[in-house]
């Protein structure tokens, strides 16, 4: 499970899994950047009190990023980019 600030670049791939006091269909816990340390504490506490949420969020996040950030995919994309520069 991941807890992150609700700012870019995190919000490119992360979707909040907790909103308005309820769990949602997201893949991470996001904390607004202007919020206090108390909000970070609350996010950690949610995970501690809901251990199933840890693995659930981890799986959701993995499904979100596995194809986009896989080393083989990234390497191939970079190789294609570099090839396009020398054409």
């Amino acid at each position: 499970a991941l807890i992150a600030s609700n700012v870019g670049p995190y919000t490119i791939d992360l979707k909040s899994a907790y909103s308005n006091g309820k769990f949602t269909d997201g893949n991470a816990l996001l904390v607004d950047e202007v919020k206090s340390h108390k909000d970070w504490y609350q996010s950690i506490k949610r995970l501690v009190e809901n251990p199933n949420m840890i693995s659930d969020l981890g799986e959701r996040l993995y499904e979100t990023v596995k194809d986009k950030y896989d080393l083989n995919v990234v390497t191939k994309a970079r190789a294609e980019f570099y090839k396009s520069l020398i054409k």
Side-chain angles (χ1 to χ4, degrees), residues 71-86:
L71 186 58
N72 294 317
V73 173
V74 172
T75 301
K76 184 177 178 180
R78 285 184 183 167
E80 293 299 320
F81 172 72
Y82 293 139
K83 286 178 187 177
S84 74
L85 293 177
I86 57 175

Side-chain angles (χ1 to χ4, degrees), residues 14-75:
L14 302 180
K15 182 180 172 190
S16 181
Y18 194 81
S19 180
N20 297 323
K22 296 183 180 184
F23 293 109
T24 64
D25 213 21
N27 59 12
L29 295 178
L30 300 178
V31 177
D32 288 332
E33 64 178 311
V34 295
K35 297 291 186 172
S36 69
H37 295 294
K38 183 179 178 183
D39 293 308
W40 284 90
Y41 164 78
Q42 290 296 332
S43 292
I44 294 168
K45 185 178 175 185
R46 279 187 193 100
L47 292 179
V48 169
E49 291 176 347
N50 299 285
N52 290 338
M53 186 179 190
I54 295 170
S55 58
D56 184 47
L57 288 178
E59 284 295 319
R60 290 180 189 193
L61 185 56
Y62 173 76
E63 290 299 321
T64 301
V65 301
K66 69 177 176 147
D67 295 325
K68 185 175 182 181
Y69 296 107
D70 178 85
L71 186 58
N72 294 317
V73 173
V74 172
T75 301

